[in-house]
Amino acid sequence: DAGVTQSPTHLIKTRGQQVTLRCSPKSGHDTVSWYQQALGQGPQFIFQYYEEEERQRGNFPDRFSGHQFPNYSSELNVNALLLGDSALYLCASNTGGFTTDTQYFGPGTRLTVL
Amino acid sequence: DQQVKQNSPSLSVQEGRISILNCDYTNSMFDYFLWYKKYPAEGPTFLISISSIKDKNEDGRFTVFLNKSAKHLSLHIVPSQPGDSAVYFCAARFTGTASKLTFGTGTRLQVTL
């Protein structure tokens, strides 16, 4: 049973560029959430996708956008990259959108912006 | 505004002894609390949770205590094992926002031989 998978593992970009990160949820899960974990901090909620729509959003600018596909996989897009966007980006999945089901996290994508 | 706080960045405990990790929160609307463990190069792994209607939840060596009046929770690990060495995150959420977890900054636990 595959858990949450993310690609790529590491990524290096320069300021102003755009980046796309990918996530496949755990088998049987239909809800995907994205988190940003800066160095020395806890993960911060970016947004959640359920039924191919953004359902909840944290305090992140519009430069951060996403998409969910019919197979429940998801992408996180960040435009006009800033140095401060350097972080570990975590994807988490669960079932049923707003249920109390436990979230399972992927290993993350380490983004470095130079 | 840090709504979930873990004031101890690190903790060192001898193998076999008790590890106590603490977490404070400021938002009284939080009604469900979770602990996650994170090893390097891996995502956070769910450990144990507690609803605000309870004051204790136990799962094997792990027990979480919740003191709502003090807005404080703690994770007890007994006995501590070297494999428990990891970063532990406290997280909280509101009813109906299952995916929107608010995390603390984490406590690095080192269990020494």
Side-chain angles (χ1 to χ4, degrees), chain B residues 80-97:
Chain B
S80 300
Q81 299 174 354
D84 295 329
S85 297
V87 177
Y88 288 78
F89 290 100
C90 171
R93 69 185 187 211
F94 310 107
T95 298
T97 61

Side-chain angles (χ1 to χ4, degrees), chain A residues 31 33 35 37 40-45 48 56-58 88 90 94 97-108, chain B residues 2 32 34 36 38 41-47 49 87 89 93-106:
Chain A
T31 305
S33 300
Y35 291 80
Q37 185 181 8
Q41 302 296 315
Q44 277 197 293
F45 177 79
Q48 176 206 51
Q56 298 182 83
R57 190 177 182 93
L88 179 68
L90 295 163
N94 60 287
F98 297 156
T99 68
T100 55
D101 188 39
T102 301
Q103 285 185 275
Y104 291 80
F105 283 82
Chain B
Q2 191 72 24
Y32 200 81
L34 308 91
Y36 280 83
K38 188 179 188 299
E42 294 183 14
T45 302
F46 170 74
L47 200 55
S49 62
V87 177
F89 290 100
R93 69 185 187 211
F94 310 107
T95 298
T97 61
S99 300
K100 190 175 180 180
L101 298 175
T102 301
F103 283 85
T105 53

Side-chain angles (χ1 to χ4, degrees), chain A residues 17-107:
Chain A
Q17 284 190 312
Q18 179 264 344
V19 68
T20 298
L21 311 180
R22 295 176 176 82
C23 170
S24 291
K26 180 178 168 62
S27 178
H29 287 183
D30 58 9
T31 305
V32 173
S33 300
W34 288 92
Y35 291 80
Q36 179 196 67
Q37 185 181 8
L39 199 60
Q41 302 296 315
Q44 277 197 293
F45 177 79
I46 303 174
F47 42 51
Q48 176 206 51
Y49 276 84
Y50 173 63
E51 294 184 332
E52 301 181 47
E53 289 188 15
E54 182 183 296
R55 299 292 182 165
Q56 298 182 83
R57 190 177 182 93
N59 189 24
F60 280 81
D62 292 345
R63 299 186 297 109
F64 289 78
S65 64
H67 188 78
Q68 186 179 34
F69 299 94
N71 67 352
Y72 310 121
S73 66
S74 176
E75 287 182 349
L76 164 65
N77 301 293
V78 187
N79 295 321
L81 284 167
L82 304 173
L83 295 179
D85 295 331
S86 295
L88 179 68
Y89 288 84
L90 295 163
C91 171
S93 72
N94 60 287
T95 57
F98 297 156
T99 68
T100 55
D101 188 39
T102 301
Q103 285 185 275
Y104 291 80
F105 283 82

Side-chain angles (χ1 to χ4, degrees), chain B residues 44-104:
Chain B
T45 302
F46 170 74
L47 200 55
I48 192 169
S49 62
I50 188 166
S51 165
S52 61
I53 62 174
K54 295 185 176 181
D55 55 18
K56 177 183 174 181
N57 188 28
E58 195 171 350
D59 183 3
R61 297 187 297 115
F62 303 91
T63 303
V64 56
F65 296 92
L66 175 62
N67 183 333
K68 283 182 61 179
S69 61
K71 295 190 180 69
H72 176 83
L73 63 155
S74 61
L75 174 68
H76 292 211
I77 307 174
V78 184
S80 300
Q81 299 174 354
D84 295 329
S85 297
V87 177
Y88 288 78
F89 290 100
C90 171
R93 69 185 187 211
F94 310 107
T95 298
T97 61
S99 300
K100 190 175 180 180
L101 298 175
T102 301
F103 283 85

